[in-house]
Amino acid sequence: MEREELTKLFKCQTEDMGHALISLFDNNIWTEGKFKQEEEEVLKGVLMGLAARYVAEEKHRGKPLCPVARFHCKNGAEIFRLNWKADLSRQGMQRSAGIMVNYLYRLDSIQENHIKYELYDSIKIN
């Protein structure tokens, strides 16, 4: 469903969608309020899903591809929340489409999370 909505939103074919998303960030189109609320909700669903996958599942040699996730998870944190439109600066948009992640350090589980991360490449997700 989202794929169909995105192709309508960007007026492009499915194979051109990546380029359309990149131009969206390069031109800061959505930060200028040019999208309708329904259109932004479609983008939010797609981008938040991609961000969650990147932070929690995309790995190299068993460890998170995302350097920030790698740092926090190695130190015993858990992935707590993704925040939509949290950093709308130019750098924030280029790095993460404005999405930021909160990591939670629970004192009673830091050591356990760290050990599971090191031994089993396990990441705790709240």
Side-chain angles (χ1 to χ4, degrees):
M1 180 69 165
E2 288 174 343
R3 184 177 300 245
E4 292 171 11
E5 291 173 325
L6 281 174
T7 56
K8 287 179 190 173
L9 178 62
F10 291 120
K11 299 176 180 77
C12 67
Q13 299 298 315
T14 302
E15 57 271 7
D16 298 326
M17 213 175 311
H19 295 294
L21 283 169
I22 290 169
S23 71
L24 178 73
F25 305 125
D26 286 345
N27 299 320
N28 282 340
I29 292 171
W30 74 6
T31 61
E32 296 171 2
K34 294 183 180 178
F35 281 114
K36 296 177 186 167
Q37 185 173 355
E38 313 84 57
E39 294 171 336
E40 186 174 316
E41 288 301 316
V42 171
L43 284 173
K44 180 180 179 181
V46 171
L47 294 176
M48 292 290 276
L50 289 171
R53 179 183 171 138
Y54 172 67
V55 170
E57 297 178 14
E58 294 300 321
K59 297 182 179 183
H60 175 69
R61 296 184 179 165
K63 304 301 182 199
L65 204 54
C66 174
V68 176
R70 195 168 47 246
F71 171 83
H72 287 290
C73 294
K74 179 179 182 172
N75 289 308
E78 58 189 69
I79 298 171
F80 181 65
R81 175 178 40 230
L82 275 82
N83 301 290
W84 175 248
K85 284 187 156 183
D87 182 0
L88 298 179
S89 69
R90 182 175 203 84
Q91 190 173 34
M93 294 301 287
Q94 289 173 342
R95 286 185 176 173
S96 63
I99 298 168
M100 294 183 75
V101 180
N102 290 123
Y103 295 89
L104 181 63
Y105 288 86
R106 294 183 194 268
L107 293 178
D108 61 345
S109 61
I110 289 175
Q111 186 173 3
E112 179 184 350
N113 291 345
H114 168 73
I115 291 169
K116 287 181 178 178
Y117 175 86
E118 290 296 332
L119 295 178
Y120 310 111
D121 299 328
S122 175
I123 297 174
K124 174 88 183 228
I125 301 171
N126 187 326

